Amino acid sequence: MEDLFNYSRRETGVVNIGGTPLGGEYPIRIQSMTNTSTMDTEACVEQAMRIVEAGGEYVRLTTQGVREAENLMNINIGLRSRGIMTPLVADVHFNPKVADVAAMYAEKVRINPGNYVDSARVFKHIDYTDEEYAQELKKIRDRFVPFLNICKENHTAIRIGVNHGSLSDRIMSRYGDTPAGMVESCMEFLRICVDENFTDVVISIKASNTSVMVRTVRLLVREMEREGMKFPLHLGVTEAGDSEDGRIKSALGIGALLSDGYGDTIRVSLSEAPEKEIPVARKLVDYIMLRRNHMYIPGLEAEGFDYVDPVRRETVAVGNIGGYNLPVVLSENLDGKEYKGGANLPDYIYSGPSLPSERPAGPSYIVDYVAWHGEEDVWPAFPYTEIEAIRSCNAAMKFVFVTYMMVSDDFLKLLSEDSSIVLVSQSNHPNRLGEHRALVHLLMSRGIKTPVVFFQHYGEDEAEDFQIKAAADMGALVFDGFCDGIFLLNQGNLSHSTIDAVAFGILQAGRLRMTKTEYISCPGCGRTLYNLEDTIARIKAATSHLKGLKIGIMGCIVNGPGEMADADYGYVGAARGKVSLYKQKECVEKNIPEEEAVERLIDLIKKNGDYHEVQ
């Protein structure tokens, strides 16, 4: 990053995809993927039309075999005959012959470096000599160059799409399951594209783990810059899930990268109807684009900060905030109502000028310092201007609200002397991320280890809008390692429980604090071997009370076994109407009839001692 504090879009080349180019000065494009059989021409045409009507600018379809690739011609004709010129993208795995055919009928072809030439992964470690490894790269070149020639002849673009869940055993053996391995898997193919002067290339590197996804894209951009590459990026969090969790997870990961100027097209992968992805993606892009041409933020990057591989900022512990503690959730509730117990109560409730008459057990309270009288489990809040009042207060924990541009040398001196302060960072700037970041970098530059809670305020009446904006604003702060806590305030028509659920959802999506079951579920495509949405609902109904468990729900084997390495349990489509169950990446039960599979999954969780009944 040239500038961590001021928004500008990364400079890229232009990729021609039918009549809808991307990159360069073109707007960030929105896309989705059908989940109908690619052999069902009419179903694909109708679903593609719904995606386009919702605002989708590219439509991707799975192409398992040559027959599906050839049928893209009929789908293409069906759409063009209806006056729809939206480019089609063929999604290819395992069989490079399919990519050759698809390049004649689609405007773009996605290939996966993990299985384009390399055999399907079986999690086998292989020791290669340098000469043997070079021979494997030659195999890729020998097979990939003819495909590029077909693409040149047909004016077809390509996407090199790396997935965390489908790295080849060859890459895994040499680089491990790491961002470096994901990046090298991509770079091997990009170097061939450069050698062959093929520039209509888009890149994606995706993972269900948002931290892995963000770090890997940052590393990829750095490596491309080192080799003089300007290829545009497709962003997405794969297997993000559905409903609130899917929206938060996607906005957190994609939003973190968009905020730093990365990304030329995005897909929000939800386990829902494809057309439902488009409005979410549009809201996310439009929100980030409000930061263009903002007032300059004079931040200075702290020496030693590693943008590509950040670690959690070192802070002192003030009570249960900072240090090695998990990030906390602050909430505002001036009258104390609505908190009657239940899951995910906030850690602290700010009640303003006085304590409410109703106070639930669990959270501590924060009141304005003029109303604080030393009550048990109640802490004072100060504006940054009340330096003498802060100095004279003997509370063991003091919350100080501050804005970066107002920080003075006297205030910094106070922070260096007083280890009982928790900073609450505020910003009214159009690029609030830039101000929040600038404050933390200033503290790091001065060696000040005061913990920081990020205050984010909104005025939303729709839960989806709030989820997207809050997650997008917090993304980079989470992945930079800066988040000791989060305080979301919404002055629209949303309940306190809704606001708090988003705060906890952001921390969980960033893998900072697990407070509920996480579902790593794919969005579905023409490869999906069972009713995905119905299955997710059934699994959630049986397991949503299991705190901190990760369950993968995958439609097929493309990413299934790989993503099981990041999940505790996996439910993967094995054949039509058949499901295999995994414990992490190990398949423990194969080809279970679909109608029995959910119950067998619950039995597996119980067998391993990870299940408890609803309290």
Side-chain angles (χ1 to χ4, degrees), residues 235-290:
L235 302 181
V237 176
T238 190
E239 291 98 30
D242 63 353
S243 60
E244 176 182 79
D245 291 340
R247 285 156 175 78
I248 291 175
K249 199 172 187 181
S250 295
L252 194 80
I254 299 172
L257 293 166
L258 287 177
S259 297
D260 285 339
Y262 297 163
D264 302 279
T265 179
I266 75 167
R267 182 198 175 188
V268 172
S269 299
L270 301 176
S271 301
E272 301 174 15
E275 59 269 24
K276 291 186 178 180
E277 298 178 348
I278 302 300
V280 179
R282 174 50 58 199
K283 289 177 181 179
L284 177 56
V285 169
D286 288 350
Y287 181 59
I288 298 298
M289 290 301 100
L290 294 175

Short mmCIF file of all heavy atoms in Angstrom, two decimals, residues 235-290:
data_model
loop_
_atom_site.label_atom_id
_atom_site.label_comp_id
_atom_site.label_asym_id
_atom_site.label_seq_id
_atom_site.Cartn_x
_atom_site.Cartn_y
_atom_site.Cartn_z
N LEU A 235 -12.75 -10.25 -6.39
CA LEU A 235 -12.75 -10.46 -4.94
C LEU A 235 -13.97 -11.27 -4.51
O LEU A 235 -15.07 -11.10 -5.04
CB LEU A 235 -12.77 -9.13 -4.19
CG LEU A 235 -11.63 -8.15 -4.45
CD1 LEU A 235 -11.83 -6.90 -3.59
CD2 LEU A 235 -10.27 -8.78 -4.20
N GLY A 236 -13.76 -12.12 -3.51
CA GLY A 236 -14.87 -12.86 -2.93
C GLY A 236 -14.41 -13.67 -1.74
O GLY A 236 -13.24 -14.06 -1.64
N VAL A 237 -15.33 -13.90 -0.81
CA VAL A 237 -15.12 -14.83 0.29
C VAL A 237 -15.90 -16.08 -0.06
O VAL A 237 -17.13 -16.04 -0.15
CB VAL A 237 -15.61 -14.26 1.64
CG1 VAL A 237 -15.45 -15.29 2.75
CG2 VAL A 237 -14.86 -12.99 1.98
N THR A 238 -15.22 -17.17 -0.31
CA THR A 238 -15.91 -18.37 -0.73
C THR A 238 -16.57 -19.05 0.46
O THR A 238 -16.12 -18.93 1.60
CB THR A 238 -14.95 -19.33 -1.45
OG1 THR A 238 -15.69 -20.37 -2.05
CG2 THR A 238 -13.92 -19.91 -0.49
N GLU A 239 -17.67 -19.75 0.19
CA GLU A 239 -18.42 -20.46 1.23
C GLU A 239 -18.78 -19.54 2.40
O GLU A 239 -18.61 -19.89 3.57
CB GLU A 239 -17.63 -21.67 1.76
CG GLU A 239 -17.50 -22.78 0.77
CD GLU A 239 -16.17 -22.77 0.03
OE1 GLU A 239 -15.17 -22.33 0.61
OE2 GLU A 239 -16.15 -23.19 -1.13
N ALA A 240 -19.25 -18.34 2.10
CA ALA A 240 -19.54 -17.36 3.15
C ALA A 240 -20.78 -17.72 3.96
O ALA A 240 -20.93 -17.28 5.10
CB ALA A 240 -19.73 -15.97 2.53
N GLY A 241 -21.69 -18.52 3.38
CA GLY A 241 -22.89 -18.89 4.11
C GLY A 241 -24.11 -18.12 3.64
O GLY A 241 -24.16 -17.63 2.51
N ASP A 242 -25.10 -18.00 4.51
CA ASP A 242 -26.34 -17.32 4.13
C ASP A 242 -26.73 -16.29 5.17
O ASP A 242 -26.01 -16.06 6.14
CB ASP A 242 -27.47 -18.34 3.92
CG ASP A 242 -27.82 -19.09 5.21
OD1 ASP A 242 -27.11 -18.93 6.23
OD2 ASP A 242 -28.82 -19.85 5.20
N SER A 243 -27.83 -15.64 4.94
CA SER A 243 -28.46 -14.67 5.85
C SER A 243 -27.45 -13.68 6.44
O SER A 243 -26.56 -13.21 5.74
CB SER A 243 -29.24 -15.41 6.94
OG SER A 243 -28.40 -16.24 7.71
N GLU A 244 -27.59 -13.35 7.72
CA GLU A 244 -26.74 -12.33 8.33
C GLU A 244 -25.26 -12.71 8.29
O GLU A 244 -24.40 -11.89 7.95
CB GLU A 244 -27.17 -12.11 9.79
CG GLU A 244 -26.28 -11.13 10.55
CD GLU A 244 -26.69 -10.96 12.00
OE1 GLU A 244 -26.34 -11.85 12.81
OE2 GLU A 244 -27.35 -9.97 12.31
N ASP A 245 -24.95 -13.96 8.62
CA ASP A 245 -23.54 -14.38 8.67
C ASP A 245 -22.87 -14.25 7.31
O ASP A 245 -21.72 -13.81 7.20
CB ASP A 245 -23.44 -15.82 9.16
CG ASP A 245 -23.83 -15.96 10.62
OD1 ASP A 245 -23.81 -14.95 11.34
OD2 ASP A 245 -24.16 -17.09 11.04
N GLY A 246 -23.57 -14.66 6.25
CA GLY A 246 -22.99 -14.56 4.91
C GLY A 246 -22.73 -13.14 4.49
O GLY A 246 -21.73 -12.84 3.83
N ARG A 247 -23.63 -12.24 4.86
CA ARG A 247 -23.46 -10.83 4.49
C ARG A 247 -22.33 -10.18 5.27
O ARG A 247 -21.51 -9.43 4.72
CB ARG A 247 -24.78 -10.09 4.71
CG ARG A 247 -25.81 -10.41 3.64
CD ARG A 247 -27.24 -10.19 4.08
NE ARG A 247 -28.16 -10.41 2.97
CZ ARG A 247 -28.54 -11.62 2.53
NH1 ARG A 247 -28.08 -12.71 3.12
NH2 ARG A 247 -29.37 -11.73 1.51
N ILE A 248 -22.26 -10.46 6.56
CA ILE A 248 -21.19 -9.89 7.39
C ILE A 248 -19.83 -10.41 6.95
O ILE A 248 -18.87 -9.65 6.78
CB ILE A 248 -21.45 -10.18 8.87
CG1 ILE A 248 -22.65 -9.38 9.37
CG2 ILE A 248 -20.21 -9.86 9.71
CD1 ILE A 248 -23.06 -9.69 10.79
N LYS A 249 -19.74 -11.72 6.75
CA LYS A 249 -18.46 -12.32 6.38
C LYS A 249 -17.97 -11.78 5.04
O LYS A 249 -16.79 -11.45 4.88
CB LYS A 249 -18.62 -13.84 6.31
CG LYS A 249 -17.34 -14.63 6.37
CD LYS A 249 -17.65 -16.12 6.50
CE LYS A 249 -16.40 -16.94 6.74
NZ LYS A 249 -16.70 -18.39 6.84
N SER A 250 -18.87 -11.67 4.08
CA SER A 250 -18.50 -11.15 2.76
C SER A 250 -18.08 -9.69 2.83
O SER A 250 -17.07 -9.28 2.25
CB SER A 250 -19.66 -11.32 1.78
OG SER A 250 -19.95 -12.69 1.55
N ALA A 251 -18.88 -8.88 3.54
CA ALA A 251 -18.57 -7.45 3.63
C ALA A 251 -17.28 -7.20 4.39
O ALA A 251 -16.54 -6.26 4.07
CB ALA A 251 -19.73 -6.70 4.28
N LEU A 252 -16.99 -8.03 5.38
CA LEU A 252 -15.76 -7.87 6.15
C LEU A 252 -14.54 -8.12 5.27
O LEU A 252 -13.61 -7.30 5.21
CB LEU A 252 -15.76 -8.84 7.34
CG LEU A 252 -14.70 -8.57 8.41
CD1 LEU A 252 -15.15 -7.44 9.33
CD2 LEU A 252 -14.44 -9.82 9.24
N GLY A 253 -14.53 -9.27 4.56
CA GLY A 253 -13.37 -9.62 3.75
C GLY A 253 -13.25 -8.79 2.49
O GLY A 253 -12.21 -8.18 2.22
N ILE A 254 -14.33 -8.73 1.71
CA ILE A 254 -14.30 -7.95 0.47
C ILE A 254 -14.15 -6.47 0.78
O ILE A 254 -13.39 -5.75 0.13
CB ILE A 254 -15.57 -8.20 -0.36
CG1 ILE A 254 -15.68 -9.67 -0.74
CG2 ILE A 254 -15.57 -7.33 -1.62
CD1 ILE A 254 -17.01 -10.05 -1.39
N GLY A 255 -14.87 -5.99 1.81
CA GLY A 255 -14.82 -4.58 2.17
C GLY A 255 -13.44 -4.14 2.61
O GLY A 255 -13.02 -3.01 2.31
N ALA A 256 -12.70 -5.01 3.30
CA ALA A 256 -11.34 -4.66 3.73
C ALA A 256 -10.46 -4.38 2.52
O ALA A 256 -9.65 -3.44 2.52
CB ALA A 256 -10.75 -5.80 4.57
N LEU A 257 -10.60 -5.18 1.47
CA LEU A 257 -9.76 -5.01 0.28
C LEU A 257 -10.25 -3.87 -0.60
O LEU A 257 -9.45 -3.08 -1.11
CB LEU A 257 -9.72 -6.32 -0.49
CG LEU A 257 -9.00 -7.46 0.25
CD1 LEU A 257 -9.29 -8.80 -0.41
CD2 LEU A 257 -7.51 -7.21 0.32
N LEU A 258 -11.57 -3.75 -0.77
CA LEU A 258 -12.10 -2.61 -1.53
C LEU A 258 -11.68 -1.29 -0.89
O LEU A 258 -11.37 -0.32 -1.58
CB LEU A 258 -13.62 -2.68 -1.60
CG LEU A 258 -14.26 -3.74 -2.49
CD1 LEU A 258 -15.78 -3.68 -2.35
CD2 LEU A 258 -13.87 -3.56 -3.96
N SER A 259 -11.67 -1.25 0.44
CA SER A 259 -11.30 -0.02 1.15
C SER A 259 -9.88 0.41 0.87
O SER A 259 -9.55 1.59 0.97
CB SER A 259 -11.49 -0.23 2.67
OG SER A 259 -12.85 -0.47 2.98
N ASP A 260 -9.03 -0.56 0.54
CA ASP A 260 -7.64 -0.25 0.22
C ASP A 260 -7.42 -0.11 -1.28
O ASP A 260 -6.28 -0.10 -1.75
CB ASP A 260 -6.72 -1.32 0.80
CG ASP A 260 -6.56 -1.16 2.31
OD1 ASP A 260 -6.81 -0.06 2.81
OD2 ASP A 260 -6.18 -2.14 2.98
N GLY A 261 -8.51 -0.02 -2.04
CA GLY A 261 -8.40 0.23 -3.47
C GLY A 261 -8.24 -1.01 -4.32
O GLY A 261 -8.04 -0.91 -5.54
N TYR A 262 -8.31 -2.19 -3.72
CA TYR A 262 -8.18 -3.44 -4.47
C TYR A 262 -9.55 -3.90 -4.96
O TYR A 262 -10.55 -3.73 -4.26
CB TYR A 262 -7.58 -4.54 -3.60
CG TYR A 262 -6.18 -4.28 -3.10
CD1 TYR A 262 -5.66 -5.01 -2.05
CD2 TYR A 262 -5.37 -3.32 -3.67
CE1 TYR A 262 -4.37 -4.81 -1.57
CE2 TYR A 262 -4.09 -3.09 -3.21
CZ TYR A 262 -3.58 -3.84 -2.15
OH TYR A 262 -2.32 -3.62 -1.70
N GLY A 263 -9.58 -4.54 -6.11
CA GLY A 263 -10.81 -5.15 -6.59
C GLY A 263 -11.40 -4.45 -7.79
O GLY A 263 -11.61 -3.23 -7.77
N ASP A 264 -11.66 -5.23 -8.84
CA ASP A 264 -12.24 -4.70 -10.07
C ASP A 264 -13.56 -5.37 -10.40
O ASP A 264 -14.33 -4.87 -11.23
CB ASP A 264 -11.25 -4.87 -11.22
CG ASP A 264 -9.93 -4.19 -10.92
OD1 ASP A 264 -9.84 -2.96 -11.10
OD2 ASP A 264 -9.01 -4.87 -10.44
N THR A 265 -13.83 -6.49 -9.79
CA THR A 265 -15.13 -7.15 -9.86
C THR A 265 -15.29 -7.97 -8.58
O THR A 265 -14.29 -8.45 -8.03
CB THR A 265 -15.26 -8.04 -11.10
OG1 THR A 265 -16.55 -8.68 -11.09
CG2 THR A 265 -14.18 -9.11 -11.15
N ILE A 266 -16.51 -8.10 -8.10
CA ILE A 266 -16.73 -8.85 -6.87
C ILE A 266 -17.92 -9.79 -7.03
O ILE A 266 -18.83 -9.55 -7.83
CB ILE A 266 -16.96 -7.95 -5.64
CG1 ILE A 266 -18.36 -7.32 -5.66
CG2 ILE A 266 -15.89 -6.89 -5.52
CD1 ILE A 266 -18.74 -6.67 -4.34
N ARG A 267 -17.87 -10.86 -6.27
CA ARG A 267 -19.04 -11.72 -6.09
C ARG A 267 -19.23 -11.97 -4.61
O ARG A 267 -18.31 -12.37 -3.91
CB ARG A 267 -18.87 -13.06 -6.80
CG ARG A 267 -20.14 -13.90 -6.64
CD ARG A 267 -19.95 -15.36 -6.92
NE ARG A 267 -21.18 -16.10 -6.63
CZ ARG A 267 -21.28 -17.41 -6.64
NH1 ARG A 267 -20.22 -18.15 -6.92
NH2 ARG A 267 -22.42 -18.01 -6.35
N VAL A 268 -20.43 -11.72 -4.14
CA VAL A 268 -20.80 -12.07 -2.77
C VAL A 268 -21.43 -13.45 -2.84
O VAL A 268 -22.53 -13.62 -3.38
CB VAL A 268 -21.79 -11.04 -2.19
CG1 VAL A 268 -22.32 -11.51 -0.85
CG2 VAL A 268 -21.11 -9.69 -2.06
N SER A 269 -20.75 -14.47 -2.32
CA SER A 269 -21.18 -15.86 -2.46
C SER A 269 -22.08 -16.25 -1.30
O SER A 269 -21.61 -16.56 -0.21
CB SER A 269 -19.97 -16.79 -2.51
OG SER A 269 -19.15 -16.49 -3.61
N LEU A 270 -23.39 -16.23 -1.53
CA LEU A 270 -24.36 -16.57 -0.50
C LEU A 270 -25.03 -17.90 -0.83
O LEU A 270 -25.28 -18.21 -2.00
CB LEU A 270 -25.43 -15.49 -0.39
CG LEU A 270 -24.95 -14.09 -0.05
CD1 LEU A 270 -26.12 -13.10 -0.08
CD2 LEU A 270 -24.26 -14.06 1.31
N SER A 271 -25.35 -18.66 0.19
CA SER A 271 -26.07 -19.92 -0.01
C SER A 271 -27.56 -19.63 -0.15
O SER A 271 -28.40 -20.10 0.63
CB SER A 271 -25.81 -20.87 1.17
OG SER A 271 -24.43 -21.14 1.29
N GLU A 272 -27.87 -18.83 -1.15
CA GLU A 272 -29.23 -18.38 -1.43
C GLU A 272 -29.40 -18.32 -2.94
O GLU A 272 -28.47 -18.63 -3.69
CB GLU A 272 -29.48 -17.00 -0.81
CG GLU A 272 -29.28 -16.95 0.70
CD GLU A 272 -29.38 -15.54 1.27
OE1 GLU A 272 -29.89 -14.64 0.56
OE2 GLU A 272 -28.95 -15.33 2.42
N ALA A 273 -30.57 -17.92 -3.41
CA ALA A 273 -30.77 -17.76 -4.85
C ALA A 273 -29.74 -16.78 -5.39
O ALA A 273 -29.47 -15.74 -4.77
CB ALA A 273 -32.19 -17.26 -5.12
N PRO A 274 -29.12 -17.07 -6.54
CA PRO A 274 -28.03 -16.21 -7.05
C PRO A 274 -28.40 -14.75 -7.18
O PRO A 274 -27.57 -13.87 -6.92
CB PRO A 274 -27.72 -16.84 -8.42
CG PRO A 274 -28.15 -18.25 -8.30
CD PRO A 274 -29.35 -18.25 -7.40
N GLU A 275 -29.63 -14.46 -7.61
CA GLU A 275 -30.00 -13.06 -7.81
C GLU A 275 -30.01 -12.27 -6.50
O GLU A 275 -29.92 -11.04 -6.51
CB GLU A 275 -31.36 -12.95 -8.50
CG GLU A 275 -32.52 -13.61 -7.77
CD GLU A 275 -32.75 -15.04 -8.17
OE1 GLU A 275 -31.80 -15.71 -8.66
OE2 GLU A 275 -33.90 -15.52 -8.02
N LYS A 276 -30.08 -12.97 -5.36
CA LYS A 276 -30.05 -12.27 -4.07
C LYS A 276 -28.65 -11.76 -3.73
O LYS A 276 -28.50 -10.91 -2.85
CB LYS A 276 -30.57 -13.18 -2.96
CG LYS A 276 -32.06 -13.48 -3.05
CD LYS A 276 -32.54 -14.26 -1.85
CE LYS A 276 -34.04 -14.51 -1.91
NZ LYS A 276 -34.53 -15.27 -0.74
N GLU A 277 -27.65 -12.30 -4.40
CA GLU A 277 -26.28 -11.83 -4.15
C GLU A 277 -26.04 -10.43 -4.70
O GLU A 277 -25.23 -9.67 -4.15
CB GLU A 277 -25.28 -12.79 -4.79
CG GLU A 277 -25.31 -14.21 -4.26
CD GLU A 277 -24.34 -15.12 -4.98
OE1 GLU A 277 -23.80 -14.72 -6.03
OE2 GLU A 277 -24.12 -16.24 -4.48
N ILE A 278 -26.72 -10.10 -5.77
CA ILE A 278 -26.41 -8.87 -6.51
C ILE A 278 -26.67 -7.60 -5.69
O ILE A 278 -25.79 -6.73 -5.61
CB ILE A 278 -27.16 -8.83 -7.85
CG1 ILE A 278 -26.81 -10.06 -8.70
CG2 ILE A 278 -26.86 -7.54 -8.59
CD1 ILE A 278 -25.36 -10.19 -9.05
N PRO A 279 -27.85 -7.44 -5.06
CA PRO A 279 -28.06 -6.21 -4.28
C PRO A 279 -27.06 -6.04 -3.14
O PRO A 279 -26.68 -4.91 -2.81
CB PRO A 279 -29.49 -6.37 -3.76
CG PRO A 279 -30.14 -7.35 -4.67
CD PRO A 279 -29.05 -8.29 -5.09
N VAL A 280 -26.65 -7.15 -2.53
CA VAL A 280 -25.67 -7.08 -1.44
C VAL A 280 -24.34 -6.56 -1.98
O VAL A 280 -23.72 -5.66 -1.39
CB VAL A 280 -25.49 -8.46 -0.78
CG1 VAL A 280 -24.45 -8.38 0.34
CG2 VAL A 280 -26.82 -8.98 -0.24
N ALA A 281 -23.91 -7.12 -3.09
CA ALA A 281 -22.66 -6.68 -3.71
C ALA A 281 -22.73 -5.21 -4.12
O ALA A 281 -21.78 -4.45 -3.94
CB ALA A 281 -22.33 -7.57 -4.90
N ARG A 282 -23.86 -4.81 -4.70
CA ARG A 282 -24.01 -3.42 -5.14
C ARG A 282 -23.95 -2.46 -3.96
O ARG A 282 -23.29 -1.42 -4.04
CB ARG A 282 -25.34 -3.29 -5.90
CG ARG A 282 -25.73 -1.87 -6.31
CD ARG A 282 -24.62 -1.12 -7.01
NE ARG A 282 -24.18 -1.81 -8.21
CZ ARG A 282 -23.01 -1.58 -8.80
NH1 ARG A 282 -22.16 -0.69 -8.28
NH2 ARG A 282 -22.67 -2.25 -9.88
N LYS A 283 -24.62 -2.79 -2.87
CA LYS A 283 -24.59 -1.92 -1.69
C LYS A 283 -23.16 -1.79 -1.16
O LYS A 283 -22.73 -0.69 -0.76
CB LYS A 283 -25.50 -2.48 -0.60
CG LYS A 283 -26.98 -2.35 -0.89
CD LYS A 283 -27.81 -3.01 0.21
CE LYS A 283 -29.30 -2.90 -0.08
NZ LYS A 283 -30.13 -3.55 0.96
N LEU A 284 -22.44 -2.89 -1.16
CA LEU A 284 -21.07 -2.87 -0.64
C LEU A 284 -20.17 -1.98 -1.50
O LEU A 284 -19.45 -1.12 -0.98
CB LEU A 284 -20.52 -4.29 -0.58
CG LEU A 284 -19.08 -4.47 -0.13
CD1 LEU A 284 -18.84 -3.84 1.23
CD2 LEU A 284 -18.71 -5.96 -0.12
N VAL A 285 -20.22 -2.16 -2.80
CA VAL A 285 -19.40 -1.35 -3.69
C VAL A 285 -19.78 0.12 -3.59
O VAL A 285 -18.91 1.00 -3.48
CB VAL A 285 -19.53 -1.85 -5.15
CG1 VAL A 285 -18.89 -0.85 -6.12
CG2 VAL A 285 -18.88 -3.22 -5.30
N ASP A 286 -21.08 0.41 -3.64
CA ASP A 286 -21.52 1.81 -3.59
C ASP A 286 -21.08 2.50 -2.30
O ASP A 286 -20.72 3.68 -2.30
CB ASP A 286 -23.04 1.89 -3.74
CG ASP A 286 -23.50 1.57 -5.15
OD1 ASP A 286 -22.65 1.49 -6.05
OD2 ASP A 286 -24.72 1.39 -5.35
N TYR A 287 -21.12 1.75 -1.20
CA TYR A 287 -20.72 2.34 0.09
C TYR A 287 -19.24 2.68 0.10
O TYR A 287 -18.84 3.78 0.51
CB TYR A 287 -21.05 1.38 1.23
CG TYR A 287 -20.71 1.92 2.59
CD1 TYR A 287 -21.28 3.10 3.05
CD2 TYR A 287 -19.83 1.24 3.42
CE1 TYR A 287 -20.96 3.61 4.30
CE2 TYR A 287 -19.51 1.74 4.68
CZ TYR A 287 -20.08 2.93 5.11
OH TYR A 287 -19.76 3.42 6.36
N ILE A 288 -18.41 1.77 -0.38
CA ILE A 288 -16.97 2.03 -0.40
C ILE A 288 -16.64 3.18 -1.34
O ILE A 288 -15.76 4.01 -1.07
CB ILE A 288 -16.19 0.77 -0.79
CG1 ILE A 288 -16.42 -0.36 0.23
CG2 ILE A 288 -14.69 1.07 -0.91
CD1 ILE A 288 -15.97 -0.05 1.63
N MET A 289 -17.36 3.27 -2.45
CA MET A 289 -17.07 4.31 -3.44
C MET A 289 -17.37 5.72 -2.93
O MET A 289 -16.92 6.71 -3.51
CB MET A 289 -17.84 4.05 -4.73
CG MET A 289 -17.36 2.86 -5.53
SD MET A 289 -15.61 3.00 -6.04
CE MET A 289 -14.80 1.97 -4.79
N LEU A 290 -18.11 5.84 -1.83
CA LEU A 290 -18.34 7.15 -1.23
C LEU A 290 -17.05 7.77 -0.72
O LEU A 290 -16.99 8.97 -0.43
CB LEU A 290 -19.35 7.04 -0.08
CG LEU A 290 -20.79 6.63 -0.47
CD1 LEU A 290 -21.63 6.45 0.79
CD2 LEU A 290 -21.41 7.69 -1.38
#
